[in-house]
Amino acid sequence: MIPIKFGPDWFYLPSIVIDVIAFVVLLAISYYSYKYYKLNKSNKTYLYLAGSFFLICLSFFFKLLTNLTVYYNINKDIQHGVIVSALEAVRSFNILSVLTYSGHVLLHLLGLYFLYSLYQKENSKANIFLVSYLILLSTYLSNLNYQIFHLTALFLTGFIALIYLKKYFETKNTNTKMLHSAFTTIAISHIFFMFIPINRLFFMLGEITQLVGYFVLLLVLMAVVNNGKKKK
């Protein structure tokens, strides 16, 4: 069950715009992470951060493809134009929506897992294999019930938020506190998405809250890069 067309009718176009902005923001986060790595190549953490956020960025690209193949159903009055005609043809293949949504879920969960694994001292091959299996299973089951994806993402973002909270208590660093707040906000957005069956407005809340969380991440990384340049 692909979680699209669950939001308010008037929110169809704004949700696509929000996802486009989220894609750009995540691409910028990946860029700034890589940029900081170039300033300090001895710290490969930021290189892995860049890769992780790039995966999440790609997941939003697949989400946009999925939404576009369905959301244009509301434009039944528009029957002309090359773009609309192409979308009508693509939308007739339901398998495309399944594949693009699966790509969104798989890349998103992989990106979150890589972020989480950055702060784990030990990652045995058995543990990596087990997590990979669970991510693949979640991807498959999410096509049957989208809430499985958001539940899995909630656990991963929640664990990451707890890691940054622990680090903040140890260092009292403002940026670390902001990172904790960002991932907590993203985790809350996944809770909102899980409550869509209760009220369609939760879809809107989830989209906006998630974007706010990514914006906070971008602001933190921009501050880190600027500080890195000053030290240089």
Side-chain angles (χ1 to χ4, degrees):
M1 180 170 57
I2 299 172
I4 43 187
K5 294 190 72 175
F6 282 180
D9 293 345
W10 59 268
F11 195 65
Y12 287 165
L13 183 58
S15 68
I16 292 177
V17 173
I18 287 174
D19 287 341
V20 170
I21 296 173
F23 173 82
V24 174
V25 169
L26 284 162
L27 189 61
I29 291 173
S30 179
Y31 167 74
Y32 277 104
S33 298
Y34 182 72
K35 194 172 182 179
Y36 188 77
Y37 165 71
K38 295 289 286 185
L39 291 172
N40 186 13
K41 290 188 176 181
S42 61
N43 188 355
K44 289 189 176 182
T45 298
Y46 282 87
L47 179 62
Y48 298 139
L49 278 174
S52 300
F53 280 113
F54 186 69
L55 284 176
I56 300 175
C57 175
L58 282 180
S59 80
F60 270 82
F61 174 74
F62 281 99
K63 182 182 179 183
L64 281 167
L65 287 180
T66 307
N67 290 347
L68 284 171
T69 59
V70 178
Y71 281 167
Y72 270 88
N73 278 320
I74 64 174
N75 295 324
K76 293 180 180 179
D77 293 335
I78 304 175
Q79 298 296 333
H80 304 290
V82 177
I83 295 178
V84 174
S85 298
L87 284 168
E88 288 288 339
V90 168
R91 192 175 58 248
S92 63
F93 297 94
N94 186 53
I95 186 64
L96 180 65
S97 295
V98 173
L99 290 175
T100 53
Y101 180 65
S102 296
H104 164 62
V105 173
L106 178 62
L107 291 172
H108 200 105
L109 293 181
L110 280 175
L112 289 177
Y113 171 66
F114 290 151
L115 285 175
Y116 169 73
S117 64
L118 282 176
Y119 304 98
Q120 302 305 303
K121 294 181 179 180
E122 294 183 7
N123 269 317
S124 64
K125 290 182 179 179
N127 185 48
I128 293 173
F129 177 80
L130 178 61
V131 172
S132 299
Y133 168 75
L134 291 175
I135 288 176
L136 289 172
L137 183 62
S138 294
T139 300
Y140 171 74
L141 293 177
S142 292
N143 280 288
L144 304 176
N145 189 332
Y146 75 94
Q147 290 172 315
I148 292 174
F149 160 58
H150 291 293
L151 181 61
T152 307
L154 171 62
F155 277 116
L156 287 171
T157 51
F159 284 137
I160 296 170
L162 287 174
I163 289 171
Y164 279 117
L165 181 62
K166 182 180 178 181
K167 283 183 171 292
Y168 170 70
F169 285 141
E170 293 173 352
T171 63
K172 299 299 181 181
N173 184 280
T174 302
N175 286 335
T176 304
K177 184 179 180 180
M178 292 288 287
L179 288 171
H180 162 68
S181 299
F183 279 104
T184 299
T185 302
I186 296 170
I188 291 172
S189 75
H190 288 292
I191 295 176
F192 285 146
F193 284 125
M194 291 174 63
F195 282 99
I196 292 173
I198 296 176
N199 193 310
R200 299 172 78 186
L201 289 176
F202 279 112
F203 179 82
M204 180 184 68
L205 290 173
E207 289 276 287
I208 295 173
T209 304
Q210 184 172 244
L211 183 60
V212 170
Y214 288 134
F215 260 121
V216 174
L217 283 176
L218 177 59
L219 292 175
V220 173
L221 284 169
M222 288 175 66
V224 169
V225 171
N226 289 333
N227 289 335
K229 285 182 178 179
K230 291 178 181 178
K231 291 180 180 179
K232 284 284 184 178

